[in-house]
């Protein structure tokens, strides 16, 4: 029996409730909604760590960041690491990644806020890998000829790379853009920004045409690659990765004005929290003092109007992605492969996007940045289902391999979600979310280290060396506005959850490689 194809779509910084099928009242996503209507929508799906690089590495390896080693942005996923894409390729699959990868650094900037350390003659605990890890750096894409990525790239045999965000993405897309737009410098010059009246930081009206924006290029390349697979005897796995709706907020063309700020509401403003934890108070105080963040990637507090503007522009980016996903799915259908292809949709992490008046992401692991969409649409069963059980990004690898009928490698920490896609009970009763920050932010005096435990009812978060923590009743308080950490009546609950968190930390320890001798 022929193995199924897999077409996995992933967005960037896209919280679960910003899709029509997840209940958003404004944003239009008919193509993604149609996937949910013929598949399984997971309603309590969370990331392993709510930052791009670590969670993307967790998706590919099925392992936590503390185990696979890509702990925060700017680190690398060692090429010694196996991925489930490696397993698929070894099992006869044709594999491709088109769009954002971000398993290696894609900027040449030095890290900001890294702890100072005066090393001796040897700087790190581990010897450096022999590989240069330059496949995503800007310098690799300066030439006119398309950069030849060394393959297999974490299991991918075919690579079409997009790096960075906004209207100046790089990689193979950047090389294509320069070749096809002799005036590319003018199109990228902020002095030529189109006029607008938005006040939101990082709102930018790009002159780059819709057809030349990275979202369109990724969809065009993905549709072309999918068509090329028609008639092949071997199944395929395609990872189609859009850099949006990550900031800056710059949907091109008609998508800029598709939504208006007045259409959106702040359903969870800062004032909704009964006792804001120290990071929230810190962000509010900085805003009141007129201070701004040193780096564009850091979360920030914004007034209600700026938040609504960010919402409108994010919605435009999301609808553009949905339109382009529709084009790729049309190519799949027209090439006669739809009945053999499982389609998956997810994101690498969320965005505060107005919760407590914050934007972007940070070390406070609220549901806005940890809960992401996960939709599994298998043509062998078109029953529309929703799963309320807990699930994690680390489970994607195990699920794909299970459906492909290929055994995983030793050390994979995820669990197959196939039982949940068939309407059975959840495969987890708890899950862990990690956080390892690369620099101090949101009021922490050093880079935050945190562990968060979710059960179907509770969220508890412990921060290294901090006396305060967070405990929320997810059933009674879904907005997480009443912190029960210091509530005397909930001390037994806190103690029980802390004990479970310790057990989960032990469970998630490294188990690979296995011993080769008795002693």
């Amino acid at each position: 029996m022929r193995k199924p194809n897999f077409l996995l779509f992933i967005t960037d910084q896209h919280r679960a409730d910003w899709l029509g099928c997840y209940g958003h009242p404004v944003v239009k996503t008919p193509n993604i909604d149609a996937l949910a209507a013929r598949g399984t929508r997971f309603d309590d799906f969370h990331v392993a760590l709510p930052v791009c690089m670590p969670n993307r590495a967790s998706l590919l390896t099925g392992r936590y960041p503390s185990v696979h080693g890509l702990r925060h942005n700017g680190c690398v996923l060692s090429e010694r690491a196996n991925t489930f894409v490696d397993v698929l390729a070894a099992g006869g699959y044709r594999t491709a990644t088109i769009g954002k990868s971000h398993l290696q650094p894609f900027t040449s900037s030095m890290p900001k806020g890294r702890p100072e350390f005066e090393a001796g003659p040897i700087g790190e605990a581990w010897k450096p890998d022999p590989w240069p890890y330059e496949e995503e750096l800007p310098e690799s894409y300066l030439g006119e000829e398309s950069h030849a990525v060394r393959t297999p790239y974490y299991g991918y045999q075919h690579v079409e790379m997009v790096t960075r965000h906004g209207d100046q993405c790089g990689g193979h897309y950047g090389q294509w853009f320069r070749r096809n737009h002799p005036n590319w410098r003018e199109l990228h010059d902020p002095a030529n920004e189109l006029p607008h009246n938005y006040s939101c930081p990082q709102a930018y009206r790009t002159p780059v045409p819709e057809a030349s924006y990275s979202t369109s290029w990724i969809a065009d390349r993905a549709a072309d690659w999918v068509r090329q697979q028609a008639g092949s005897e071997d199944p395929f796995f395609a990872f189609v990765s859009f850099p949006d709706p990550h900031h800056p907020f710059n949907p091109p063309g008609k998508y800029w004005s598709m939504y208006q700020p007045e259409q959106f509401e702040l359903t969870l403003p800062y004032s909704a929290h009964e006792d804001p934890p120290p990071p929230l108070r810190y962000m509010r105080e900085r805003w009141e003092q007129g201070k701004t963040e040193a780096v564009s990637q850091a979360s920030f507090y914004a007034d209600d109007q700026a938040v609504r503007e960010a919402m409108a522009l994010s919605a435009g980016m999301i609808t553009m992605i949905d339109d382009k996903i529709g084009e790729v799915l049309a190519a799949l259908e027209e090439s006669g492969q739809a009945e053999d292809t499982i389609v998956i949709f997810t994101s690498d992490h969320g965005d505060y996007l107005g919760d407590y008046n914050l934007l972007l992401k940070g070390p406070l692991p609220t549901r806005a940045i940890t809960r992401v969409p996960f939709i599994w649409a298998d043509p062998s069963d078109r029953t529309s289902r929703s799963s309320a059980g807990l699930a994690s990004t680390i489970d994607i690898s195990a699920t794909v391999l299970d459906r492909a009928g290929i055994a995983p490698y030793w050390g994979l920490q995820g669990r197959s979600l196939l039982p949940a896609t068939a309407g059975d009970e959840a495969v987890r009763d708890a899950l862990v979310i990690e956080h390892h920050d690369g620099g101090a932010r949101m009021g922490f005096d050093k880079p935050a280290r945190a562990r968060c435990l979710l059960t179907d009812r509770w969220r508890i978060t412990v921060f290294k060396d901090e006396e305060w923590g967070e405990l929320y009743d997810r059933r009674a308080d879904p907005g997480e506005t009443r912190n029960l950490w210091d509530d005397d009546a909930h001390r037994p609950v806190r103690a029980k959850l802390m004990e479970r968190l310790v057990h989960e930390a032990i469970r998630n320890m490294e188990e690979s490689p296995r011993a080769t001798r008795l002693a």
Side-chain angles (χ1 to χ4, degrees):
M1 182 178 179
R2 189 181 188 277
K3 295 182 183 299
N5 303 320
F6 295 92
L7 177 57
L8 190 157
F9 294 105
I10 182 170
T11 53
D12 196 315
Q13 202 159 294
H14 187 176
R15 49 189 282 174
D17 54 359
W18 273 67
L19 290 169
C21 56
Y22 277 86
H24 199 281
V26 179
V27 66
K28 298 177 178 64
T29 52
N31 293 296
I32 299 170
D33 297 349
L35 292 176
R38 62 176 179 86
T40 303
R41 185 194 70 229
F42 286 75
D43 291 337
D44 210 3
F45 190 94
H46 295 262
V47 298
L49 193 156
V51 176
C52 303
M53 294 183 75
N55 199 57
R56 286 169 178 266
S58 288
L59 193 162
L60 259 68
T61 63
R63 288 151 61 83
Y64 276 101
S66 58
V67 176
H68 63 58
L70 205 174
R71 304 175 307 281
H72 53 74
N73 281 357
C75 297
V76 302
L77 179 61
S78 172
E79 291 194 31
R80 292 184 60 244
N82 278 314
T83 70
F84 82 93
V85 185
D86 283 310
V87 179
L88 290 174
Y93 273 77
R94 289 160 292 128
T95 58
T97 178
I98 300 169
K100 182 184 175 185
S101 170
H102 215 188
L103 300 171
Q104 298 180 10
F106 61 33
T107 76
S108 299
S109 304
M110 297 303 293
K112 292 180 172 63
R114 185 174 68 172
E116 295 294 329
F117 179 73
E118 188 173 342
I122 295 178
E124 294 282 354
W126 290 94
K127 293 179 175 64
D129 283 349
W131 303 282
Y133 296 110
E134 297 174 346
E135 299 295 356
E136 303 192 30
L137 289 179
E139 293 80 0
S140 297
Y141 298 90
L142 294 177
E144 293 185 7
E145 295 297 320
S146 183
H147 171 63
V149 173
R150 182 166 48 84
T151 55
Y153 191 66
Y154 300 103
Y156 295 114
Q157 301 147 347
H158 179 85
V159 179
E160 299 192 49
M161 187 75 71
V162 177
T163 62
R164 303 196 303 273
H165 295 282
D167 69 339
Q168 298 189 32
C169 289
H172 292 128
Y173 161 75
Q175 292 183 299
W176 170 88
F177 189 87
R178 294 192 298 271
R179 286 194 302 268
N180 286 270
H181 292 279
N183 65 332
W184 65 268
R185 288 184 178 84
E186 287 78 13
L187 290 171
H188 285 170
D189 188 343
N192 295 321
E193 179 185 9
L194 300 180
H196 67 86
N197 60 359
Y198 280 12
S199 62
C200 177
Q202 300 198 46
Y204 181 82
R205 191 167 190 181
T206 178
V208 172
E210 286 174 33
S212 297
Y213 190 71
S214 61
T215 298
S216 296
W217 185 87
I218 291 165
D220 290 346
R221 300 307 306 138
D224 186 60
W225 190 86
V226 164
R227 292 188 192 99
Q228 292 175 23
Q229 310 316 304
S232 174
E233 294 182 0
D234 298 325
F236 71 76
F237 174 84
F239 185 86
V240 180
S241 178
F242 299 98
D244 279 355
H246 193 285
H247 60 283
F249 309 110
N250 63 182
K254 67 176 179 288
Y255 296 100
W256 172 273
S257 56
M258 181 169 285
Y259 299 94
Q260 300 303 314
E262 295 74 25
Q263 295 177 263
F264 298 89
E265 296 182 8
L266 276 72
T267 57
L268 198 62
Y270 178 85
S271 59
H273 206 295
E274 295 183 12
D275 183 20
L280 282 186
R281 295 200 300 270
Y282 172 84
M283 299 300 285
R284 167 79 178 197
E285 289 166 4
R286 282 182 65 81
W287 174 75
E288 291 174 338
Q289 295 164 5
K291 295 180 179 179
T292 58
E293 304 308 315
V295 295
S296 62
Q297 304 304 321
S299 57
F300 60 92
Y301 187 103
D303 62 46
D304 291 3
Q305 178 61 23
V307 168
R308 290 191 180 94
E309 290 170 359
M311 289 176 168
L313 298 177
S314 295
M317 290 190 281
I318 291 168
T319 294
M320 183 178 189
I321 291 170
D322 184 83
D323 286 347
K324 298 306 174 181
I325 285 176
E327 293 177 9
V328 180
L329 293 176
L332 185 72
E333 186 74 39
E334 292 162 6
S335 62
Q337 300 176 94
E339 291 305 310
D340 300 315
T341 304
I342 295 163
V343 182
I344 303 165
F345 180 86
T346 191
S347 184
D348 63 354
H349 57 80
D351 189 309
Y352 293 127
L353 204 52
D355 282 8
Y356 318 120
N357 283 87
L358 296 181
L359 292 170
L360 314 189
K361 59 187 179 292
L364 199 64
T366 71
R367 64 174 185 167
I369 64 170
T370 71
R371 180 174 173 251
V372 294
F374 183 68
I375 298 169
W376 176 276
D378 189 331
S380 69
D381 182 359
R382 294 179 174 271
T383 305
S384 180
R385 296 187 178 95
S386 62
S387 173
L390 286 165
S392 170
T393 296
I394 65 168
D395 298 328
I396 294 175
S397 53
T399 309
V400 171
L401 291 177
D402 190 10
R403 183 64 178 84
I406 305 175
Y409 42 75
W410 176 258
L412 190 141
Q413 297 174 308
R415 305 177 187 180
S416 174
L417 301 175
L418 284 190
T421 68
D424 295 339
E425 293 183 3
V427 300
R428 293 178 175 276
D429 64 349
L431 62 81
V432 171
I433 300 168
E434 300 183 346
H435 199 92
H436 303 242
D437 217 337
R441 69 198 82 212
M442 287 189 88
F444 288 93
D445 58 6
K446 53 193 172 188
R449 302 287 182 266
R451 291 294 183 273
C452 173
L453 178 78
L454 291 181
T455 70
D456 63 346
R457 180 168 182 181
W458 305 100
R459 171 168 82 85
I460 188 169
T461 305
V462 182
F463 297 89
K464 178 186 174 185
D465 297 334
E466 300 290 344
E467 294 183 359
W468 64 275
E470 292 187 292
L471 173 62
Y472 295 101
D473 186 334
R474 301 175 69 213
R475 291 182 193 165
D477 179 24
E480 298 182 349
T481 60
R482 181 171 179 245
N483 188 0
L484 303 171
W485 180 268
D486 290 321
D487 184 70
D488 288 340
H490 288 84
R491 289 192 182 277
V493 173
R494 175 175 150 186
K496 185 176 181 181
L497 291 171
M498 290 289 281
E499 182 180 4
R500 178 64 187 271
L501 182 57
V502 170
H503 283 287
E504 292 298 318
I506 296 171
R507 187 193 315 278
N508 294 336
M509 291 171 61
E510 176 66 283
E511 296 286 353
S512 177
R514 290 172 290 175
T516 59
R517 296 290 188 274
L518 176 62

